[in-house]
Amino acid sequence: DLDGGELGGRVEWTAPVDTARLAEYIVYIATDAVGTGKSQLGDNVHRSNSTLSFAANLAWPGGNPFVVVFTKSVLFEQSTPAAGAVSDLSASVSNVAFSDLDLDLGDLGGSITWTAPSDVVQVTGFFVYAAADNAGSGRELLSEQTVHAGG
C-alpha cells in the first residue's frame, strides 16, 4: 500500500525448527516488537503455512509499526513473538494540474499533468479519477497509466 499511514501486503516468516506441538500462527500489527497494542491481521494461519497476505488500506495511526508472529499450540499462545519492523512506503503524485479546453458547459476536455513521486520502484501505475470533491466522492476512473518495472 503506497498511501501514507496505510498498510497492506504480505508477511512471511521462518517456521521454528521444532513444530511438533505447533498448531497455528497468529499474526498481529503492533506498536512494538513485544506486541503492545496488537491487532490481529486476518485469520489464524495453519501450521503448514508461513505467509499471510492482508488487504491494502489498513489504517495505521502513526509511529513505526511492527508485525509480530506468535505460535500457538493446542493449549496456548506463546508469550514472546517473532517480530519485524514495518516500512510504510508512500508514493503520491504532486503538482496536479488540469486546464479545461472544452467550451461546452458540463463537459471536460484537456490534459491532466502531475509530478510523479521521486521513488517509483514500488509503483505499478497511476489512476486518474474525476470526483465531486477532494475526498473523492462520486469518483469515476478516467485513465490508467501503467508503469513498467523499476519506474
Side-chain angles (χ1 to χ4, degrees):
D1 187 309
L2 295 176
D3 295 325
E6 294 181 353
L7 305 174
R10 180 180 168 123
V11 179
E12 298 180 12
W13 59 91
T14 302
V17 175
D18 182 3
T19 60
R21 293 190 173 102
L22 175 65
E24 58 194 356
Y25 301 98
I26 307 173
V27 183
Y28 299 94
I29 190 83
T31 58
D32 60 29
V34 295
T36 303
K38 66 186 180 187
S39 177
Q40 188 169 349
L41 293 174
D43 296 326
N44 293 1
V45 179
H46 188 269
R47 64 180 278 162
S48 64
N49 200 349
S50 60
T51 63
L52 173 74
S53 293
F54 62 101
N57 302 322
L58 171 70
W60 185 254
N64 298 316
F66 286 78
V67 170
V68 292
V69 180
F70 289 83
T71 58
K72 184 178 179 188
S73 71
V74 292
L75 300 175
F76 63 90
E77 182 177 297
Q78 83 180 86
S79 58
T80 306
V86 174
S87 177
D88 184 17
L89 302 176
S90 177
S92 295
V93 301
S94 59
N95 302 318
V96 177
F98 171 69
S99 296
D100 186 8
L101 302 177
D102 192 306
L103 300 177
D104 294 327
L105 185 63
D107 289 343
L108 300 174
S111 296
I112 301 170
T113 60
W114 63 86
T115 301
S118 58
D119 182 358
V120 294
V121 171
Q122 300 292 324
V123 175
T124 59
F126 297 99
F127 299 88
V128 179
Y129 293 91
D133 56 34
N134 288 342
S137 299
R139 71 181 183 180
E140 181 179 334
L141 181 65
L142 298 178
S143 179
E144 179 179 345
Q145 179 183 349
T146 302
V147 175
H148 300 287

